[in-house]
């Protein structure tokens, strides 16, 4: 709660273009063991959709996989 309060105060000092701040607890145990990129003839929205609806679900079902995240620019 204290950190959220500090972040709200910080938002007042940031440029208007900043939409939101994210707070995430970090542990070295949560470091990714694999990072990969997709590219192709599709636009970024289509690639991100494919990654979320097809690739993410399949990777998440692999035994031993704790989490699968998809980021797009």
């Amino acid at each position: 709660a204290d950190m959220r309060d500090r972040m709200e105060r910080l938002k007042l000092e940031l440029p208007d273009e900043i939409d939101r701040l994210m707070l995430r607890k970090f542990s070295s145990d949560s470091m990714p063991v694999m990072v990969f990129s997709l590219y192709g003839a599709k636009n970024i929205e289509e690639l991100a959709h494919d990654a979320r609806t097809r690739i993410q679900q399949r990777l998440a079902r692999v035994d031993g996989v704790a989490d699968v995240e998809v980021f797009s620019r």
Side-chain angles (χ1 to χ4, degrees):
D2 183 47
M3 187 57 114
R4 276 192 290 271
D5 291 341
R6 290 180 186 200
M7 288 176 65
E8 285 300 317
R9 284 182 284 182
L10 175 64
K11 283 167 83 172
L12 300 172
E13 299 176 29
L14 295 174
D16 293 336
E17 295 82 26
I18 304 296
D19 291 330
R20 66 180 179 157
L21 300 173
M22 291 177 51
L23 175 64
R24 190 168 203 187
K25 188 175 181 179
F26 176 78
S27 165
S28 60
D29 292 335
S30 65
M31 298 266 310
V33 291
M34 181 173 69
V35 176
F36 66 93
S37 300
L38 298 177
Y39 65 94
K42 296 180 178 183
N43 66 40
I44 189 80
E45 291 85 14
E46 292 173 312
L47 286 171
H49 179 264
D50 286 348
R52 285 188 187 92
T53 59
R54 299 170 69 193
I55 299 169
Q56 184 176 22
Q57 294 172 0
R58 290 178 183 173
L59 287 174
R61 288 191 296 247
V62 173
D63 188 35
V65 172
D67 189 30
V68 178
E69 296 182 34
V70 175
F71 297 97
S72 62
R73 296 194 254 168

